[in-house]
Amino acid sequence: MSMDLVKTASFAVLHFSVGFGVTFALTGSVAISTGVALIEPAVNTVVFFFHERAWQRFSRGAAGTA
């Protein structure tokens, strides 16, 4: 499970950076960009973690039936 957390953390850093960069390019506002970069990727990162866990379970179940 620790590798899942490392992967999730690296994804979060990348996502925060992209979220800030895109929002700043569109608005020119550091405040708005920071807000968007903190909220949207944080929610998405949590969803991604559980998505990965679900796929691991699915993969294990599919391997057992093959």
Side-chain angles (χ1 to χ4, degrees), residues 12-27:
V13 169
L14 179 64
H15 202 138
F16 287 126
S17 301
V18 170
F20 181 88
V22 169
T23 307
F24 185 76
L26 293 173
T27 66

Side-chain angles (χ1 to χ4, degrees), residues 7-23 32-50:
K7 185 177 178 181
T8 301
S10 69
F11 174 76
V13 169
L14 179 64
H15 202 138
F16 287 126
S17 301
V18 170
F20 181 88
V22 169
T23 307
I32 292 172
S33 300
T34 301
V36 169
L38 290 175
I39 295 167
E40 190 274 335
V43 172
N44 228 348
T45 299
V46 172
V47 170
F48 176 79
F49 176 79
F50 289 108

